[in-house]
Amino acid sequence: VQGFETYSEFPGVSPFYGSTNYADGWAIHNVRLRSRTPASPTYSYAGTNASWLNSLSTGDSWIKTPLLSNGVGSITFYATQPIFNYPGYTNVVNFETSSDGETWITNNAMNLVPPKVPTWSLFTNSINVTSPVYLRIHSVSANKIDSHTYLDNLVIGYPPALVSVTNVIVEPGYPSTNDQVFVSCDVASVSQPFAAFGISPKLWYRIGGVTIGPILMNSIGGGRYRSAT
């Protein structure tokens, strides 16, 4: 969880927004890190600190992660906006990836419409890149130019595991009405750079438009699985 708790308020003096690279690999640009003790939901979701994107200069306000060597599956975060914002405030945020931290590709965008403090809402965005990348949360536009969006408790998830399913066999091949039917198949990890583990396949089948399952499939050795019934 990146809640910015280990960072001091930055820059702390007018104009209140700045840019810096942190020793742990995180970086901010045209962002304010705000700290309030004791903790208050008007400043942060959890703990005492939070980041504030600056919509006074949308298109140039962002938060960048360190190199994510395992890739990235999804990002979740909490967001809110100041109490004095006009209704319908929207901040368009791009989720961008880069292999070198310099050249950015927009993975997708979100029309971020957070509630007002002290209420924070959870937002999720799927990235699903399996190669090593940097991830940037980039405020690119807003329909109100004299405000900001608060972000806190950013969580970067691993990309989903990938497997291949091959050599599917139905036993018996031509069952009669009263035959018990089994399905077997090979399931192998194709995830890179780390293999999928704890594989536990399940089987669904359909008769007359009705889906039946899940049915557990048991390992019979060598990466092969067979339905329990």
Side-chain angles (χ1 to χ4, degrees):
V1 177
Q2 176 55 280
F4 307 99
E5 295 300 303
T6 61
Y7 307 147
S8 301
E9 185 168 33
F10 179 86
V13 295
S14 181
F16 301 117
Y17 294 89
S19 306
T20 190
N21 297 310
Y22 292 99
D24 59 4
W26 285 82
I28 59 173
H29 180 74
N30 196 22
V31 170
R32 183 178 188 184
L33 293 187
R34 194 67 195 272
S35 180
R36 175 66 178 262
T37 303
S40 169
T42 59
Y43 287 83
S44 58
Y45 170 74
T48 59
N49 294 6
S51 61
W52 294 12
L53 295 175
N54 181 13
S55 65
L56 285 169
S57 182
T58 51
D60 199 32
S61 181
W62 47 257
I63 300 168
K64 186 181 80 171
T65 70
L67 180 66
L68 306 171
S69 58
N70 296 328
V72 55
S74 64
I75 178 172
T76 62
F77 57 92
Y78 286 86
T80 188
Q81 60 175 304
I83 193 67
F84 54 78
N85 277 10
Y86 294 123
Y89 169 68
T90 300
N91 190 347
V92 179
V93 176
N94 280 356
F95 296 87
E96 302 167 341
T97 55
S98 171
S99 60
D100 59 7
E102 299 294 335
T103 303
W104 296 92
I105 298 172
T106 299
N107 186 279
N108 49 48
M110 174 184 289
N111 292 323
L112 190 61
V113 186
K116 295 184 179 182
V117 292
T119 302
W120 293 71
S121 285
L122 178 65
F123 295 87
T124 301
N125 199 272
S126 296
I127 310 297
N128 292 334
V129 174
T130 57
S131 57
V133 290
Y134 297 89
L135 175 63
R136 187 166 73 172
I137 307 167
H138 191 179
S139 174
V140 296
S141 67
N143 62 355
K144 186 176 185 296
I145 63 171
D146 57 347
S147 189
H148 32 257
T149 300
Y150 305 174
L151 301 183
D152 200 4
N153 276 39
L154 284 65
V155 177
I156 310 295
Y158 289 114
L162 301 176
V163 299
S164 65
V165 179
T166 58
N167 300 322
V168 179
I169 296 177
V170 178
E171 313 166 42
Y174 297 94
S176 62
T177 302
N178 296 321
D179 282 342
Q180 191 172 19
V181 178
F182 297 89
V183 175
S184 60
C185 63
D186 294 330
V187 182
S189 170
V190 293
S191 292
Q192 297 292 335
F194 301 107
F197 62 92
I199 296 173
S200 182
K202 294 179 175 61
L203 170 71
W204 284 260
Y205 65 94
R206 182 175 295 175
I207 300 177
V210 177
T211 300
I212 300 172
I215 298 170
L216 181 66
M217 300 188 73
N218 298 317
S219 173
I220 56 175
R224 191 156 185 84
Y225 297 81
R226 189 171 187 260
S227 59
T229 54

